[in-house]
Structure formats: C-alpha cells, structure tokens
Amino acid sequence: MIGNAVRDLLTQKEERFFIPIENVAHVMASNPLNHALLVLTKVGYSQIPVVDKDFQLVGMIRLSAIVDKMLSLQKVDPNNIDQFKVEDVMDREVPVLRDPYDIEDVLHLLVDANFLPVVNQEREFLGIVTRREVLKAVNRLAHQLEVKYTVSPVLEKTPCTAETKIS
Ligand code: AMP
C-alpha cells in the first residue's frame, strides 16, 4: 500500500498523467489496416488505441503486428494489406484503467506497459496515462519528499536467535 506522504506528492498534479482523447492518436477498428500503418508512421509511436463507432475502446494496434501481417503475405508491400482491417490484426486483450483510477493501479500496470488507455464505466475511451507523465511525478516525488516531510529510518528489529525462540 502506498503511504499518505508518497500518495500526496505523486498525485499533486494527477491530471497531468492523463492525455485526453483529443490529443491521442487513435484509429477505428473498421479502418483499413494501411490507414493504421500511415497513422503509426506519422506519429512515430509503436502502438496506439483502437475504438469502435461508439468510441468504445476495443483494442490496441501495434506497428509490429502490421509488419508481421505484411511479412506473412507474399510480398512486403503496404498495398498487400489493403484487404485487411485494423480489427483483423489488433490486440483485444489490453490492460485498461477505469475512471476514476487509483495511482496504485497505475504504477502496477505501467510496469508492463508504456501507456494505459482510460475508459469510463461504459468503456468509452477517454484518453491515456503514459509512463512518461508518471515518471515526471516520480521525479518530483524523489526531489520533494525530504523537503516537505521529515523522513527518518525505522529502527530495525533485532532478529530472533535460536536461543530466544526456544526459551
Ligand atoms: P511516452 O511515455 O510519452 O513515451 O509514451 C508511451 C507510449 O504511449 C507511446 O509509445 C505511445 O504508444 C503512447 N502515446 C503517448 N502519447 C500518445 C499520443 N499523444 N497519442 C497516441 N499514443 C500516445
């Protein structure tokens, strides 16, 4: 469990972990796969979220998955993926944060992900929380903890010896 001092400092500017949907590159599940290739190439990210027509989050599309698909075809040519849609290649099992989310979940889930999509209770896509934004807060925490709080070591307990255990 995260202590109060750390939680306070980490969440001081919690809104900054979050990048709202209007600033997040994303594609529709029904888009042609080469559209996703174009978007990923333009924005320079290795993966972005995928939504359906109701703006519900349905998955994530990875550049490497598109390249894999191209390699599985006869010739590596972006035109060869014309026949596929984003939904044919996207990952469907993706970790998500449900709004309102807790910093503890964010820290756990970001160990294995570069970013986390945020959805509401109806699974509508709201935006993302990125590792970069969280690391900025961790950096602030590292610098401010001992400025704002008195931190002293907890006295180590003397380990039980065999004799004290027996008696
Ligand atoms: P960062 O922590 O800023 O390096 O971002 C980690 C990952 O989050 C990137 O590699 C992208 O996959 C994703 N990401 C960050 N910002 C955006 C954005 N504005 N639109 C779409 N995806 C993003």
Side-chain angles (χ1 to χ4, degrees), residues 32-81:
L33 197 51
N34 52 10
H35 173 71
L37 177 62
L38 193 75
V39 174
L40 282 162
T41 309
K42 275 247 175 251
V43 294
Y45 295 129
S46 57
Q47 62 174 338
I48 51 173
V50 181
V51 297
D52 67 10
K53 61 179 182 6
D54 301 318
F55 276 86
Q56 288 199 327
L57 182 85
V58 287
M60 214 96 91
I61 184 80
R62 273 179 296 116
L63 186 58
S64 59
I66 301 178
V67 173
D68 270 355
K69 181 51 107 182
M70 283 161 66
L71 290 172
S72 73
L73 302 171
Q74 280 188 335
K75 222 168 71 184
V76 181
D77 177 349
N79 295 325
N80 283 343
I81 54 171

Side-chain angles (χ1 to χ4, degrees), residues 129-145:
V129 165
T130 64
R131 216 182 241 179
R132 179 188 171 86
E133 292 305 309
V134 173
L135 274 178
K136 281 191 211 164
V138 171
N139 187 24
R140 194 178 56 235
L141 162 73
H143 286 91
Q144 292 190 350
L145 184 64

Side-chain angles (χ1 to χ4, degrees), residues 15-24 126-130 133:
E15 74 282 1
R16 298 189 64 197
F17 296 166
F18 180 71
I19 302 177
I21 182 170
E22 56 270 25
N23 297 331
V24 177
L126 303 178
I128 59 174
V129 165
T130 64
E133 292 305 309

